[in-house]
Amino acid sequence: MELGSSFVRELIRKEVPDWDDEVVARARFKAFSGQRPDWEPIYLFWRDLIFTIARHLGLVILRPSQIKDWFNRGGLTPLCLDHVLLVMYNEGDLVRSADLVDPTTGRPSQIFRKVRNLMVRPMTTCQILDEHLVILMPVLKDKAVELVKLLSETHWTSSCIITMGRFQHICGGVDEASAVLSYLSGQGKAQYILVKKGEIIQGVKVCLSASAAYSISSLDCDVLYLIWTMEKLQQQFNVIDQRCERLRKSAVTSLNSGNKNVALRHARALKLATESREKCATLLNRVEEVLNVIANAESTKKVSEAIRIGAQAIKENRIGVEEVQHCLEELEESVDLQKQVEIALESTPPYTFADDEDIEEEFKKLGLEIESANRLHPIPKTEAISAVGETEALESTEQLTDALSNLKIVDNPVRTAAGKENLEVQTA
């Protein structure tokens, strides 16, 4: 907290060079009087300074008392600051958190919230300052624009679907995500998705272009479920991968210290964990393959639509065959250039890390000894149970195998009526 206050003080001195000037400070800190033209320049000064500090700190939601602490100067706070916050609220630059419509609730609840906000509005400064949290709308808009831009850089489709967990991570918190989702929903750029398939899965569909469909389809719900499954598999894969690395290091340490029996035990556990990791990777690749097919289907649809529009434009504008041929030649040259770049990248030998030859040789010997030991002395049942217990993180992965095995990859995925069972969607 102290570090933040120090940063704010330095930031204010950087943005306001005459901050320490006593005469100027006295004029800025006094209460407003007279008509608005008399005090509007000072109001604009404080309003813009609040926005500047909030943007530097990355704050979309904050407490009114926190704003007062920013401008504490030797125990004195601006007497006009209460009036500044009231004017900001009346002009829509500052919004109470209670005024935001929650897009995760039903439509009747959202309509009721809007009507209540229009009928009941705080008209005094005390009511605003008593609020637990307030939202700076210009900063919120900037945050929403940054989020859409970030998603546009990683998704080439007209819209994208992400889980609520990832949406909150990108926004920087639960409260921030709720505010951004409320704003984007009001602008018609996002919609909340709820899927119930054993577990309650929450997600958000964000429109990345003006032509993106705002409604939620059954395919969108299936995509959310696949993305949620992929994230779960990725988490399990990371856990198993870390365990494999720990077991490998333990085996190497035991081998170097001459404790061959312990090294063999770690090597056996490493073998089981490696098999589990490979199984998890196979499922993960399969889910990614299905998602890629769905994305490619959307791309194919867009290309077909573009060809149709292009053909219609050629007819309407009476473009000659020679001009079309010239454009096709330029396009072919660009494609050839891209292929040359891809070939050059593929021909570059990857950088590899060479392990210690002695250690690798010992691992080979350990592998042979494990195989011979398993043939002569099978692993006792208790030890097998213990080894299986080490990979409990994959139990949920095994349960997904049957569901994923029924997925069929086709050029034009069509959802049947039977695929809508156990699916509930709540749209904003």
Side-chain angles (χ1 to χ4, degrees):
M1 185 68 181
E2 191 65 30
L3 179 61
S5 301
S6 176
F7 175 79
V8 170
R9 286 195 296 268
E10 293 299 326
L11 178 60
I12 291 175
R13 288 188 174 92
K14 181 180 178 181
E15 295 292 331
V16 187
D18 58 354
W19 178 256
D20 294 323
D21 189 309
E22 292 295 336
V23 177
V24 177
R26 191 178 300 112
R28 289 173 178 160
F29 274 56
K30 68 179 182 179
F32 291 159
S33 60
Q35 300 299 319
R36 176 159 183 163
D38 300 331
W39 48 261
E40 186 167 20
I42 303 226
Y43 160 73
L44 295 176
F45 166 82
W46 288 113
R47 186 200 65 179
D48 295 342
L49 187 57
I50 290 172
F51 290 151
T52 300
I53 297 174
R55 287 190 175 98
H56 275 84
L57 296 178
L59 295 177
V60 175
I61 304 176
L62 66 163
R63 299 184 305 275
S65 59
Q66 187 176 357
I67 298 176
K68 282 193 169 186
D69 292 338
W70 289 348
F71 308 120
N72 191 320
R73 188 171 177 272
L76 299 176
T77 57
L79 297 176
C80 61
L81 197 55
D82 294 350
H83 198 168
V84 170
L85 295 177
L86 179 60
V87 176
M88 289 176 63
Y89 174 79
N90 291 331
E91 294 185 350
D93 290 331
L94 185 146
V95 177
R96 300 181 304 163
S97 58
D99 292 339
L100 289 181
V101 176
D102 186 2
T104 64
T105 59
R107 195 157 195 78
S109 177
Q110 296 180 32
I111 296 175
F112 175 77
R113 176 72 67 89
K114 290 180 180 179
V115 173
R116 191 196 67 177
N117 292 340
L118 291 175
M119 297 179 61
V120 181
R121 288 175 60 87
M123 301 302 295
T124 65
T125 306
C126 293
Q127 288 177 296
I128 296 176
L129 294 179
D130 289 341
E131 289 293 326
H132 180 60
L133 294 173
V134 294
I135 300 166
L136 301 177
M137 289 305 297
V139 184
L140 177 62
K141 294 176 183 178
D142 293 344
K143 188 83 171 179
V145 171
E146 291 177 3
L147 181 136
V148 174
K149 181 180 178 182
L150 178 63
L151 294 177
S152 300
E153 293 174 352
T154 55
H155 295 78
W156 47 268
T157 52
S158 59
S159 62
C160 72
I161 296 174
I162 60 176
T163 59
M164 183 60 73
R166 189 185 170 208
F167 186 81
Q168 293 172 352
H169 175 73
I170 296 175
C171 293
V174 177
D175 294 334
E176 289 79 2
S178 178
V180 173
L181 179 57
S182 177
Y183 172 76
L184 289 176
S185 298
Q187 298 295 314
K189 298 291 293 181
Q191 193 163 3
Y192 172 74
I193 307 177
L194 177 65
V195 176
K196 293 181 180 180
K197 285 192 174 182
E199 294 188 43
I200 296 178
I201 304 172
Q202 301 180 81
V204 180
K205 180 179 181 181
V206 182
C207 301
L208 306 179
S209 66
S211 60
Y214 182 63
S215 60
I216 299 298
S217 64
S218 57
L219 179 60
D220 293 333
C221 299
D222 289 339
V223 169
L224 174 61
Y225 179 66
L226 288 172
I227 293 174
W228 175 82
T229 301
M230 187 175 66
E231 290 183 359
K232 290 293 183 182
L233 288 173
Q234 186 63 55
Q235 292 174 2
Q236 293 175 358
F237 180 84
N238 294 337
V239 171
I240 299 173
D241 189 62
Q242 293 173 5
R243 173 167 174 75
C244 288
E245 185 62 24
R246 289 196 301 268
L247 288 172
R248 185 180 183 281
K249 290 181 179 179
S250 299
V252 171
T253 302
S254 301
L255 191 61
N256 289 334
S257 62
N259 197 338
K260 199 171 184 180
N261 292 331
V262 177
L264 280 170
R265 187 167 64 251
H266 288 308
R268 288 192 184 98
L270 176 61
K271 183 179 179 180
L272 291 174
T274 302
E275 293 175 354
S276 299
R277 181 178 59 182
E278 292 175 354
K279 187 181 297 184
C280 184
T282 300
L283 292 173
L284 182 60
N285 292 334
R286 188 166 186 179
V287 175
E288 289 179 350
E289 184 181 359
V290 174
L291 288 172
N292 288 334
V293 168
I294 295 174
N296 290 336
E298 181 180 350
S299 176
T300 302
K301 181 180 178 182
K302 287 185 174 295
V303 170
S304 301
E305 183 67 16
I307 292 174
R308 186 187 66 79
I309 294 174
Q312 183 178 356
I314 290 175
K315 292 179 180 179
E316 292 177 353
N317 297 293
R318 298 180 181 179
I319 300 175
V321 178
E322 295 180 356
E323 296 180 6
V324 175
Q325 183 65 27
H326 178 67
C327 293
L328 291 176
E329 290 176 356
E330 291 182 350
L331 180 60
E332 186 176 358
E333 291 178 0
S334 300
V335 172
D336 292 339
L337 180 60
Q338 181 66 23
K339 289 181 179 179
Q340 293 176 9
V341 173
E342 293 177 356
I343 293 173
L345 291 174
E346 291 176 357
S347 61
T348 304
Y351 182 79
T352 58
F353 294 93
D355 293 330
D356 191 344
E357 295 181 359
D358 296 335
I359 297 300
E360 294 298 331
E361 192 66 28
E362 290 292 334
F363 260 112
K364 291 179 181 179
K365 293 180 181 180
L366 283 174
L368 294 176
E369 292 182 18
I370 290 173
E371 292 180 0
S372 62
N374 288 339
R375 288 195 298 268
L376 296 176
H377 304 285
I379 300 176
K381 184 176 181 181
T382 55
E383 183 176 351
I385 294 174
S386 176
V388 171
E390 298 290 347
T391 57
E392 287 183 348
L394 277 181
E395 289 184 358
S396 58
T397 304
E398 299 291 345
Q399 296 174 358
L400 292 172
T401 303
D402 295 336
L404 293 174
S405 62
N406 294 326
L407 291 173
K408 295 182 179 180
I409 301 173
V410 295
D411 293 336
N412 234 342
V414 178
R415 176 169 179 85
T416 61
K420 296 182 179 178
E421 294 180 2
N422 299 326
L423 183 65
E424 297 181 11
V425 181
Q426 185 172 355
T427 59

